[in-house]
Amino acid sequence: MVETLTAEVPREDTLAQVMSIPVTTMKASDTLAVAAKKMVKQNIGSVVVLEGREPVGIITERDITRQVVKGNSVLKKSAKKTMSKLRVTASPQMSVQQAFELMLKNEARRLPVLDDEKLVGVVTEKDLMRWVLRVSYEPNIPPHIKSILESH
């Protein structure tokens, strides 16, 4: 009997497996104070801005900091006036490698994930760092690394 060896096809990780959900959102008419409070309360670095149900931008800690330096009641400004417009988005089926490429090419630190034009998640630099840590240890992930990965 001849034994046939077959090469194991590596699975391709997708954004659906690494994205953060649920996504914290706000209305375009909400103020920066609303964004800041949501970020502090949920210990996150960004909030996706919606017009209706459509994601149109993102407010980040950096956006707020830049406004604070300017002074003059910045937290009363609307999200629409200070948000970074969405330049790129991804689908849940996109590979993690493609997301890295897209984010680097577009100098994006966060990548909203849309499924059929509906916001379903966001991939952040932190999500991608967790993925790198996980795959660098697979298949034998030490317990102390597992605890880091599970503290999501």
Side-chain angles (χ1 to χ4, degrees):
M1 178 174 187
V2 176
E3 184 177 344
T4 305
L5 296 175
T6 56
E8 185 176 317
V9 178
R11 70 173 162 67
E12 186 172 64
D13 288 332
T14 64
L15 296 189
Q17 297 165 295
V18 300
M19 67 186 183
S20 295
I21 52 173
V23 181
T24 301
T25 62
M26 65 185 291
K27 298 176 196 167
S29 60
D30 286 342
T31 64
L32 289 185
V34 170
K37 286 176 185 174
K38 287 184 178 207
M39 285 185 230
V40 169
K41 183 178 180 181
Q42 296 180 32
N43 194 27
I44 56 175
S46 65
V47 178
V48 175
V49 180
L50 304 176
E51 282 188 339
R53 292 183 178 199
E54 181 184 351
V56 293
I58 194 163
I59 296 282
T60 66
E61 293 168 318
R62 179 180 275 186
D63 293 326
I64 293 173
T65 302
R66 286 181 175 156
Q67 292 301 313
V68 167
V69 171
K70 293 177 183 178
N72 295 349
S73 306
V74 296
L75 294 179
K76 294 179 182 176
K77 284 187 174 184
S78 73
K80 188 165 186 157
K81 290 183 180 177
T82 53
M83 70 184 187
S84 302
K85 291 190 175 167
L86 291 185
R87 297 181 315 231
V88 292
T89 60
S91 75
Q93 297 79 28
M94 177 180 275
S95 74
V96 172
Q97 292 85 349
Q98 288 171 315
F100 268 112
E101 182 181 333
L102 185 63
M103 290 171 75
L104 286 169
K105 181 179 175 184
N106 290 280
E107 297 181 359
R109 294 179 176 192
R110 295 155 183 90
L111 189 58
V113 180
L114 306 179
D115 191 11
D116 202 23
E117 298 184 27
K118 181 182 177 212
L119 182 65
V120 295
V122 66
V123 173
T124 66
E125 291 174 323
K126 192 174 185 178
D127 295 325
L128 296 178
M129 286 191 306
R130 276 192 178 94
W131 177 83
V132 168
L133 186 61
R134 180 178 55 81
V135 298
S136 69
Y137 279 99
E138 282 182 337
N140 301 313
I141 303 173
H144 73 284
I145 299 297
K146 279 185 184 178
S147 68
I148 293 169
L149 296 173
E150 291 168 357
S151 67
H152 191 275

